Amino acid sequence: MAKGAAALKKKSDLKREAAKSAPAQPAVPDDQPIIALDLGPANLSPAMQAYFQKCQDKLGFVPNVLVAYAFDSAKLEAFAAMYNDLMLAPSGLSKLEREMIAVAVSSQNRCYYCLTAHGQAVRQYSNDPKLGEHMVMNYRAARLSKRQRAMLDFAVKLTNEPWAVEEEDRAALRKAGFSERDIWDIAAVTGFYNMSNRIASATDMRPNPVYHGMSR
Amino acid sequence: MAKGAAALKKKSDLKREAAKSAPAQPAVPDDQPIIALDLGPANLSPAMQAYFQKCQDKLGFVPNVLVAYAFDSAKLEAFAAMYNDLMLAPSGLSKLEREMIAVAVSSQNRCYYCLTAHGQAVRQYSNDPKLGEHMVMNYRAARLSKRQRAMLDFAVKLTNEPWAVEEEDRAALRKAGFSERDIWDIAAVTGFYNMSNRIASATDMRPNPVYHGMSR
Amino acid sequence: MAKGAAALKKKSDLKREAAKSAPAQPAVPDDQPIIALDLGPANLSPAMQAYFQKCQDKLGFVPNVLVAYAFDSAKLEAFAAMYNDLMLAPSGLSKLEREMIAVAVSSQNRCYYCLTAHGQAVRQYSNDPKLGEHMVMNYRAARLSKRQRAMLDFAVKLTNEPWAVEEEDRAALRKAGFSERDIWDIAAVTGFYNMSNRIASATDMRPNPVYHGMSR
Amino acid sequence: MAKGAAALKKKSDLKREAAKSAPAQPAVPDDQPIIALDLGPANLSPAMQAYFQKCQDKLGFVPNVLVAYAFDSAKLEAFAAMYNDLMLAPSGLSKLEREMIAVAVSSQNRCYYCLTAHGQAVRQYSNDPKLGEHMVMNYRAARLSKRQRAMLDFAVKLTNEPWAVEEEDRAALRKAGFSERDIWDIAAVTGFYNMSNRIASATDMRPNPVYHGMSR
Amino acid sequence: MAKGAAALKKKSDLKREAAKSAPAQPAVPDDQPIIALDLGPANLSPAMQAYFQKCQDKLGFVPNVLVAYAFDSAKLEAFAAMYNDLMLAPSGLSKLEREMIAVAVSSQNRCYYCLTAHGQAVRQYSNDPKLGEHMVMNYRAARLSKRQRAMLDFAVKLTNEPWAVEEEDRAALRKAGFSERDIWDIAAVTGFYNMSNRIASATDMRPNPVYHGMSR
Amino acid sequence: MAKGAAALKKKSDLKREAAKSAPAQPAVPDDQPIIALDLGPANLSPAMQAYFQKCQDKLGFVPNVLVAYAFDSAKLEAFAAMYNDLMLAPSGLSKLEREMIAVAVSSQNRCYYCLTAHGQAVRQYSNDPKLGEHMVMNYRAARLSKRQRAMLDFAVKLTNEPWAVEEEDRAALRKAGFSERDIWDIAAVTGFYNMSNRIASATDMRPNPVYHGMSR
């Protein structure tokens, strides 16, 4: 069950660069394949090759979810396009808020990959390691603004009982100051992690070990 | 809360063409907006305009989920790219099997939009109206091959308790004849409808009424 | 596992008459026994013979639930007496409302038989095929009057957590305009389908195939 | 919200006779109406009058569920006919076994009325007060024969997730020695208490206080 | 799997004394070991020997939970110290109220041992056999003061979804008249039975049979 | 709602000492009271004063759960005695294994306090930060020995459905090599955290902030 990571970049390079961005974290090798399916690497399109290179340059590593998708260039492109639009494009939700939704949703679904990778993102964007832990463990234990609490209550209800979401739930978001477009974005980010959590759980996807020590 | 459908095509044309493909179904107007969020239509990219035209030509209507996404051309493109790759691109799963997963998952999440639209797809692809009803109501009541039963058992477990999916679940799929790539596809389709169900429920998305009478 | 249907009426006659009431539906044979228990037909009492004949004359077929019960005339009479009193006798609830409860309850219990047979009844009584689909898929997605919404909220809570039904739930029904007797009837119909759903699921009861195409 | 008990028999007589059959139990008055709905007593048919008299003569009291139904003679007759057929007519299940199902099901649904009345019946038929407590509290804690354990496992699964009952569940009953007809009876008794539990919970039905001290 | 009871006191003595306190209950032998683990008795410390003697003198028997813990004197002392502080030391909650929590919690966890032993305590402290049954079967069916209902609602929510208990739940207790210290005590008793229920269920702990007939 | 911590030790001292054991962690003040109940500090017994001093000397801080209990010296002693016996006394389970149970249980109950404090303990005892995250996020994602997996499966089942634990569950532990006494210890540790989780959630208990950065 060898994974495609090696085909994309030498592992030692990856480690070295990752180490730079998180120097206090010893470069512990993760002796596990990235996913539990044996899917060889595809020839990536130039756009995707450039995307991976950009990850290396900015993060010091390619997130394993992208390596996992690299067995099929079209699937990788579709995933990356949706991810980048949802999490990075302009929105009434801050990037931190979108990551908070990602983690609170992943906590309901107990997704090891997403909790690790996006828990780190919450710690980094918020500059508050405790907030990342709150999102992982129980978002209700965090001291949140009314806006952010309403946002997460909606995301968690939509995760756990989507059939019961109704007009009064949307009204609660509007009352907390969210626009129509913001509500769409909350729903779309919640939906996206309900998808990603399941793909990660179905394939036993492993996060890059470097996440564990970052932004602590 | 007027929706963007009218901006794309005159409603009467839509009705007329839909009626062609399902002549026994009277063209009952659905007096509800497509979603419960007030998002004006965007200027679609030429690619998306062509896509909508293709829907009209082939189906006689533009599925409402696409109209709902039409408030933002980038989001629509990302959604359409992922949808078309997952549901229509070559795969070890037949198109019918992918639609069966879509409906069995949507039944767990009780998503009115997806059950209506993809229930119709199962009826059409299988030429067996009963099979569509089985997927909507309780997939366990259908008389399925071992392969399809294993596929749906995996999809439903992944939907309801993603945290509990483990190697033995993947092993059951392999034993039923699925390849590594097939397992990815089952996971990805399951994940996709766990996303779509939630976006549809969060926005109270309404299916095109024409679906109800088609392929009965 | 031959069933008792043949003893009651020639199958071809049944099909022929059913076809009359739903001419657009091809008479697809359902190659399955009515239930998964091997129980021979009993000698029906004259009253029950007359009842079956009346079904044939009015519906064009005998509903399979009655055929299933026909292995024991006393059980059939008790079931038919309770069914007819609950669903057809005078009540503050319309026949459509009683069928709506039947389907919303059966949706919680995912009962293939009852969803098929009573989903058809909702379509027929309401002359609104969409309403039947709403009840099958998610009653919360339907646009209901406050009265009917309160009625179904009570029925679904009573189905899913009967231990939690208390005075405030009855008060909500009274506030929605229901009388004491109406509340009894809502409870009794809800209870009845919680019984029937379980007998149908326990025995893998199969609905008459003709239901699928009727009242679309 | 006075109930119809008084119309049927003087309360003092009821108490006196009840006291005979459970002399160690002081005749504590239960200062609550039998149900939380205000439904006046109907004129009972001669058959139902005789039935109530028979209860008095044999039990020393009329079970409150019958008094509750006495607001409508037709409903009372239908209920009594089904009850008597299921619980008292010849069956491959002993009367004790049918009462064990009644209590194990009622425990899942936490129905105060049925647990009290039928818990007493298990104590009486089994001559083992502990067995009644086991059925009320957790049937898995009882030391049961394989036959009775299989019977209750089926009844409890059918109660809690009827949608998941399949051929392998019926096969387990057959393996434990149950006939086709026995399986029907297990399903029918399970169904009946899933109905009765909900009618009792919906109406806050109160058991005759005399049950508490009987057969201890 | 012999248990340590015999080592502590002759069984016949135990029976005799138990019989005194509950003379209407025939001394039915319970032919089961106290727990399903084979743990020999320890040498009890003098304090624990005295404690067991005190149980005998006051109750006529040593509760089986103590006999179960008697395989390790330190564990027994820690358990007894916590139990006695929580259930018997001065508190704003009456002893009856603490036992009501014990039984309502144990009902959620369906713990046969605790329901039997503490159900008896509720019957005894309240002098109301019905109240004990209510706590065992469904506390919502009891006619409780607002104070006691708020107390049990908190205990049951804390049992079933501890992650969802928040400030508004504490506020509801304060509004019902409970002090800060009372709230701690409600939480601590609830927590204690969530512990004990699980130790009893994990070891299949058997209550002293004498409980069944006491305080009826 | 000031808490008793200040009464026991000057906060600045606590910080200074904590900093020693986790120097990479800036001493972020946690501006929240330890619990949401306003309970003044008690006069601690000499034994408890010594215990707190020992915590300071060994850990550099007093764990907040002990400070929370310090409003009542008897309760603190009972809690500390049970805790120390369960988690630190000789057992067939290693200290790491007992902490793994603590965290896996606390993850089911989503207890912020216990996940933080005992997650740190798993990281420290195992010298494997990833293992602590696995226990917090989803123990099924960890690569465990059969022994440890069996241990956690039992603990999690006992946490989530204690009523369903039966002889076959104990047999699985015996098969994995656990002794009778080990099984008791698994049950007792599982029970203890089901208690502690609920006391922490009921009181909104806050962990010492220093835990977050330790043993990463």
Side-chain angles (χ1 to χ4, degrees):
Chain A
M1 279 190 282
K3 281 301 84 42
L8 298 160
K9 183 132 206 208
K10 269 190 298 177
K11 227 166 181 175
S12 54
D13 289 356
L14 237 158
K15 285 272 156 51
R16 193 159 4 94
E17 289 175 45
K20 275 186 234 160
S21 73
Q25 167 78 6
V28 183
D30 192 23
D31 55 358
Q32 292 169 351
I34 290 172
I35 62 170
L37 300 176
D38 191 5
L39 299 168
N43 287 325
L44 294 188
S45 66
M48 287 299 102
Q49 288 183 29
Y51 181 46
F52 274 47
Q53 191 56 51
K54 192 172 153 196
C55 290
Q56 294 279 24
D57 295 345
K58 286 188 63 172
L59 305 176
F61 59 94
V62 180
N64 279 351
V65 65
L66 300 177
V67 181
Y69 266 100
F71 76 92
D72 184 302
S73 195
K75 290 182 192 306
L76 174 59
E77 287 197 50
F79 177 82
M82 188 177 279
Y83 173 85
N84 288 327
D85 173 71
L86 278 175
M87 300 303 283
L88 303 174
S91 163
L93 308 179
S94 71
K95 286 180 190 175
L96 171 58
E97 287 171 336
R98 288 177 266 179
E99 292 289 350
M100 288 167 71
I101 294 173
V103 183
V105 165
S106 302
S107 175
Q108 300 306 308
N109 293 328
R110 302 189 185 282
C111 176
Y112 174 59
Y113 183 92
C114 299
L115 286 169
T116 301
H118 295 280
Q120 187 275 326
V122 170
R123 295 195 302 270
Q124 179 184 319
Y125 281 131
S126 67
N127 209 16
D128 178 1
K130 236 182 354 180
L131 186 65
E133 299 300 84
H134 276 131
M135 293 301 107
V136 167
M137 293 169 177
N138 187 351
Y139 79 98
R140 294 177 196 86
R143 299 290 176 257
L144 301 170
S145 65
K146 281 195 179 178
R147 166 189 165 89
Q148 291 182 343
R149 177 65 194 252
M151 175 186 84
L152 295 180
D153 281 345
F154 187 93
V156 166
K157 181 174 182 181
L158 187 57
T159 296
N160 290 341
E161 13 169 35
W163 52 82
V165 171
E166 296 198 66
E167 189 58 26
E168 66 181 10
D169 300 295
R170 288 181 290 272
L173 289 180
R174 290 187 188 105
K175 198 180 155 196
F178 291 102
S179 71
E180 302 293 286
R181 167 64 192 269
D182 294 342
I183 297 175
W184 177 279
D185 287 357
I186 294 170
V189 173
T190 300
F192 184 78
Y193 287 95
N194 272 289
M195 175 177 73
S196 295
N197 291 171
R198 283 174 177 83
I199 294 173
S201 291
T203 61
D204 196 24
M205 196 179 286
R206 299 277 137 182
N208 308 60
V210 70
Y211 284 122
H212 292 299
M214 289 170 72
S215 313
R216 295 288 179 187
Chain B
M1 282 189 278
K3 278 302 81 38
L8 299 159
K9 183 129 205 210
K10 269 190 297 177
K11 229 166 179 175
S12 54
D13 289 354
L14 237 157
K15 283 272 160 48
R16 194 160 2 98
E17 287 173 47
K20 275 185 229 159
S21 74
Q25 167 75 6
V28 182
D30 192 21
D31 54 357
Q32 292 168 352
I34 290 171
I35 62 171
L37 300 176
D38 191 5
L39 299 167
N43 287 326
L44 295 187
S45 66
M48 287 300 102
Q49 288 183 28
Y51 181 45
F52 273 47
Q53 189 57 50
K54 193 173 152 193
C55 289
Q56 294 280 24
D57 295 344
K58 285 188 62 173
L59 305 177
F61 60 95
V62 180
N64 279 351
V65 65
L66 299 177
V67 181
Y69 266 99
F71 76 92
D72 182 302
S73 194
K75 290 183 192 305
L76 174 60
E77 288 197 50
F79 177 83
M82 188 175 279
Y83 174 84
N84 288 326
D85 174 72
L86 278 174
M87 300 303 283
L88 303 174
S91 163
L93 308 178
S94 71
K95 287 180 189 173
L96 170 60
E97 287 172 336
R98 287 177 266 179
E99 293 289 351
M100 288 167 71
I101 294 173
V103 183
V105 165
S106 302
S107 174
Q108 301 305 309
N109 293 328
R110 301 189 185 281
C111 175
Y112 174 58
Y113 182 91
C114 299
L115 286 170
T116 301
H118 295 280
Q120 187 275 325
V122 170
R123 295 195 302 270
Q124 179 184 322
Y125 280 132
S126 67
N127 209 17
D128 178 3
K130 238 183 351 179
L131 187 65
E133 299 300 85
H134 278 131
M135 294 300 106
V136 167
M137 294 170 177
N138 186 350
Y139 78 99
R140 294 177 196 85
R143 298 289 176 260
L144 301 170
S145 64
K146 283 193 180 179
R147 168 189 164 89
Q148 292 183 341
R149 177 62 193 253
M151 176 186 83
L152 295 180
D153 281 345
F154 187 92
V156 166
K157 182 175 181 181
L158 187 57
T159 296
N160 290 342
E161 14 169 35
W163 51 83
V165 171
E166 295 198 68
E167 189 58 25
E168 66 181 13
D169 299 297
R170 287 181 290 274
L173 289 180
R174 289 186 188 106
K175 199 179 154 196
F178 291 102
S179 71
E180 301 294 286
R181 166 64 192 271
D182 295 342
I183 298 175
W184 176 279
D185 288 357
I186 294 171
V189 174
T190 300
F192 184 79
Y193 286 95
N194 272 287
M195 176 176 74
S196 296
N197 291 169
R198 284 173 176 83
I199 295 173
S201 292
T203 61
D204 196 25
M205 195 179 287
R206 299 278 136 183
N208 308 62
V210 68
Y211 284 123
H212 292 299
M214 289 168 72
S215 313
R216 296 289 179 188
Chain C
M1 280 190 279
K3 281 299 84 42
L8 299 160
K9 183 135 204 206
K10 269 191 296 174
K11 227 167 178 172
S12 54
D13 289 356
L14 236 158
K15 285 270 158 51
R16 193 157 6 93
E17 288 175 45
K20 276 187 231 159
S21 73
Q25 168 76 6
V28 182
D30 193 22
D31 54 357
Q32 292 169 351
I34 290 172
I35 62 170
L37 300 177
D38 190 5
L39 299 167
N43 288 324
L44 296 187
S45 66
M48 287 299 103
Q49 288 184 28
Y51 181 46
F52 274 46
Q53 189 58 49
K54 191 172 154 195
C55 290
Q56 294 281 24
D57 295 345
K58 284 187 64 172
L59 305 176
F61 60 93
V62 179
N64 279 349
V65 65
L66 300 178
V67 181
Y69 265 100
F71 76 91
D72 183 303
S73 195
K75 291 183 192 305
L76 173 60
E77 287 196 50
F79 176 83
M82 188 177 278
Y83 174 85
N84 287 328
D85 174 71
L86 278 175
M87 301 302 284
L88 303 174
S91 164
L93 308 178
S94 72
K95 287 181 189 173
L96 170 60
E97 286 172 335
R98 289 177 264 178
E99 292 289 350
M100 289 168 71
I101 294 174
V103 183
V105 165
S106 301
S107 175
Q108 301 305 309
N109 293 328
R110 301 187 185 283
C111 175
Y112 174 59
Y113 183 91
C114 299
L115 286 169
T116 301
H118 295 279
Q120 187 275 327
V122 170
R123 296 195 301 270
Q124 179 185 322
Y125 280 131
S126 67
N127 208 16
D128 177 3
K130 238 183 353 180
L131 185 66
E133 299 300 85
H134 277 132
M135 293 301 107
V136 167
M137 294 171 176
N138 186 351
Y139 79 97
R140 295 177 195 84
R143 299 288 177 262
L144 301 170
S145 65
K146 283 193 178 178
R147 167 188 164 88
Q148 292 182 342
R149 177 62 194 254
M151 174 186 83
L152 295 180
D153 281 346
F154 187 93
V156 166
K157 181 174 181 181
L158 187 58
T159 296
N160 289 341
E161 13 169 34
W163 52 82
V165 171
E166 297 197 66
E167 189 57 27
E168 66 181 10
D169 300 296
R170 287 181 291 272
L173 289 181
R174 289 187 188 106
K175 198 179 155 197
F178 291 102
S179 71
E180 301 293 286
R181 166 64 192 269
D182 294 342
I183 298 175
W184 177 279
D185 287 356
I186 294 171
V189 173
T190 300
F192 184 79
Y193 286 95
N194 272 287
M195 176 177 73
S196 295
N197 290 170
R198 284 173 175 84
I199 295 173
S201 291
T203 61
D204 195 27
M205 196 179 286
R206 300 277 136 182
N208 307 60
V210 69
Y211 284 122
H212 292 300
M214 288 169 72
S215 313
R216 296 286 179 188
Chain D
M1 279 188 279
K3 278 303 82 39
L8 299 159
K9 184 133 205 207
K10 269 191 296 179
K11 228 169 179 172
S12 53
D13 290 356
L14 235 158
K15 283 272 159 50
R16 192 157 5 96
E17 288 174 47
K20 274 186 232 161
S21 73
Q25 169 75 8
V28 182
D30 193 22
D31 53 358
Q32 291 167 353
I34 290 173
I35 62 170
L37 300 176
D38 191 4
L39 300 167
N43 287 324
L44 295 188
S45 65
M48 287 299 103
Q49 288 184 28
Y51 181 46
F52 274 46
Q53 189 57 50
K54 192 173 152 195
C55 289
Q56 293 279 26
D57 295 344
K58 284 187 65 172
L59 305 176
F61 59 94
V62 179
N64 278 350
V65 65
L66 300 178
V67 180
Y69 265 100
F71 76 91
D72 183 302
S73 194
K75 291 183 192 305
L76 173 60
E77 287 196 50
F79 177 82
M82 188 176 278
Y83 174 84
N84 288 327
D85 174 71
L86 278 175
M87 301 302 284
L88 303 175
S91 164
L93 309 178
S94 71
K95 288 180 190 173
L96 170 59
E97 286 172 336
R98 287 177 265 179
E99 292 289 350
M100 289 168 70
I101 295 173
V103 183
V105 165
S106 302
S107 174
Q108 301 305 308
N109 293 329
R110 301 187 186 283
C111 176
Y112 174 58
Y113 183 91
C114 299
L115 286 169
T116 300
H118 295 279
Q120 187 275 327
V122 171
R123 295 196 302 270
Q124 178 184 320
Y125 281 131
S126 67
N127 208 18
D128 178 2
K130 237 182 354 180
L131 186 65
E133 299 300 86
H134 276 131
M135 294 301 105
V136 167
M137 294 170 176
N138 187 351
Y139 79 97
R140 295 177 195 85
R143 299 291 177 257
L144 301 170
S145 66
K146 283 194 177 176
R147 168 189 164 88
Q148 291 182 342
R149 177 63 193 254
M151 175 186 84
L152 295 180
D153 281 346
F154 187 94
V156 166
K157 181 173 181 180
L158 187 57
T159 295
N160 290 341
E161 13 169 35
W163 51 82
V165 171
E166 295 197 68
E167 189 58 27
E168 66 182 10
D169 300 295
R170 288 181 289 273
L173 289 180
R174 289 185 189 106
K175 200 180 154 195
F178 291 102
S179 71
E180 301 294 287
R181 167 64 192 270
D182 294 342
I183 298 176
W184 177 280
D185 287 356
I186 294 171
V189 174
T190 300
F192 184 79
Y193 286 95
N194 272 288
M195 176 177 74
S196 296
N197 290 170
R198 285 173 175 84
I199 294 173
S201 291
T203 61
D204 195 26
M205 196 180 286
R206 299 277 136 184
N208 307 61
V210 69
Y211 284 122
H212 292 300
M214 288 169 73
S215 314
R216 296 285 180 190
Chain E
M1 278 189 282
K3 280 301 84 38
L8 298 160
K9 183 130 206 211
K10 270 189 297 176
K11 228 168 179 172
S12 54
D13 289 355
L14 238 156
K15 285 270 157 51
R16 194 159 3 97
E17 288 174 46
K20 276 185 230 158
S21 74
Q25 168 77 7
V28 182
D30 193 22
D31 53 357
Q32 292 168 353
I34 290 172
I35 62 170
L37 300 176
D38 190 5
L39 299 167
N43 287 326
L44 295 187
S45 65
M48 287 299 103
Q49 287 183 29
Y51 181 45
F52 273 47
Q53 189 57 49
K54 192 172 153 194
C55 289
Q56 294 280 22
D57 294 345
K58 284 188 63 172
L59 305 177
F61 60 95
V62 180
N64 279 351
V65 66
L66 300 178
V67 181
Y69 265 100
F71 76 92
D72 183 303
S73 194
K75 290 183 192 305
L76 174 59
E77 287 196 50
F79 177 83
M82 188 176 278
Y83 173 85
N84 287 326
D85 174 71
L86 278 174
M87 300 303 284
L88 303 174
S91 163
L93 309 178
S94 70
K95 287 181 190 172
L96 170 60
E97 286 172 335
R98 287 177 266 178
E99 292 289 351
M100 288 167 71
I101 294 173
V103 183
V105 165
S106 302
S107 174
Q108 301 304 309
N109 293 329
R110 301 188 185 282
C111 176
Y112 174 59
Y113 183 92
C114 300
L115 286 169
T116 301
H118 295 280
Q120 186 276 325
V122 170
R123 295 195 302 270
Q124 180 185 320
Y125 281 131
S126 67
N127 209 15
D128 178 2
K130 236 181 356 178
L131 186 64
E133 299 300 85
H134 278 130
M135 293 300 107
V136 167
M137 294 170 176
N138 186 350
Y139 79 98
R140 295 178 196 84
R143 298 290 176 259
L144 300 171
S145 65
K146 282 193 180 179
R147 167 189 165 89
Q148 292 183 341
R149 177 62 193 255
M151 176 186 83
L152 295 180
D153 281 345
F154 187 92
V156 166
K157 181 174 181 181
L158 187 57
T159 296
N160 290 342
E161 13 169 35
W163 52 82
V165 171
E166 295 199 66
E167 189 58 26
E168 65 180 11
D169 300 296
R170 286 181 290 273
L173 289 180
R174 290 187 187 104
K175 199 179 155 197
F178 291 102
S179 71
E180 301 293 288
R181 167 65 192 269
D182 294 342
I183 298 175
W184 177 279
D185 287 357
I186 294 171
V189 174
T190 300
F192 185 79
Y193 286 95
N194 272 287
M195 176 177 72
S196 295
N197 290 169
R198 283 173 177 83
I199 295 173
S201 291
T203 62
D204 196 24
M205 195 179 287
R206 299 277 136 183
N208 308 61
V210 69
Y211 284 123
H212 292 299
M214 289 169 72
S215 313
R216 296 287 178 188
Chain F
M1 282 190 279
K3 279 304 81 40
L8 297 161
K9 184 133 204 205
K10 270 190 299 179
K11 227 167 181 172
S12 54
D13 289 356
L14 237 158
K15 284 274 159 46
R16 191 160 4 96
E17 289 174 45
K20 274 185 233 159
S21 73
Q25 168 76 7
V28 182
D30 193 23
D31 53 358
Q32 291 168 354
I34 290 171
I35 61 169
L37 301 177
D38 191 4
L39 299 168
N43 287 325
L44 295 188
S45 65
M48 287 299 103
Q49 289 182 27
Y51 181 46
F52 274 46
Q53 190 57 49
K54 192 171 151 194
C55 289
Q56 295 279 25
D57 295 344
K58 285 187 63 171
L59 304 176
F61 60 93
V62 179
N64 279 350
V65 65
L66 300 178
V67 181
Y69 266 100
F71 76 91
D72 182 303
S73 195
K75 290 183 191 306
L76 174 59
E77 287 197 52
F79 177 81
M82 189 177 277
Y83 174 85
N84 288 327
D85 174 72
L86 278 175
M87 300 303 282
L88 303 174
S91 163
L93 309 178
S94 71
K95 287 180 190 173
L96 171 59
E97 287 171 336
R98 287 177 265 178
E99 292 289 352
M100 288 167 71
I101 295 173
V103 184
V105 165
S106 302
S107 175
Q108 301 305 308
N109 293 329
R110 303 189 184 281
C111 175
Y112 174 58
Y113 182 92
C114 299
L115 286 169
T116 300
H118 295 280
Q120 187 275 326
V122 170
R123 296 195 302 270
Q124 179 184 320
Y125 280 131
S126 67
N127 209 16
D128 178 2
K130 236 184 354 181
L131 186 65
E133 299 300 85
H134 277 131
M135 293 301 106
V136 167
M137 293 169 176
N138 186 351
Y139 79 98
R140 293 177 197 86
R143 298 292 176 258
L144 300 171
S145 65
K146 282 194 180 177
R147 168 188 163 89
Q148 292 182 343
R149 177 63 194 254
M151 176 186 83
L152 295 180
D153 281 346
F154 187 93
V156 166
K157 181 174 181 180
L158 187 57
T159 295
N160 289 342
E161 13 169 36
W163 51 82
V165 171
E166 296 197 65
E167 188 58 25
E168 67 181 12
D169 300 295
R170 288 181 290 272
L173 289 181
R174 290 187 187 106
K175 199 180 155 194
F178 291 102
S179 72
E180 302 293 286
R181 167 65 192 269
D182 294 343
I183 298 175
W184 177 279
D185 287 357
I186 294 171
V189 174
T190 300
F192 184 79
Y193 286 95
N194 272 289
M195 176 178 73
S196 295
N197 291 170
R198 283 174 176 84
I199 295 173
S201 291
T203 62
D204 196 25
M205 195 179 285
R206 299 277 136 183
N208 307 61
V210 70
Y211 284 122
H212 293 299
M214 289 169 72
S215 314
R216 296 287 180 190

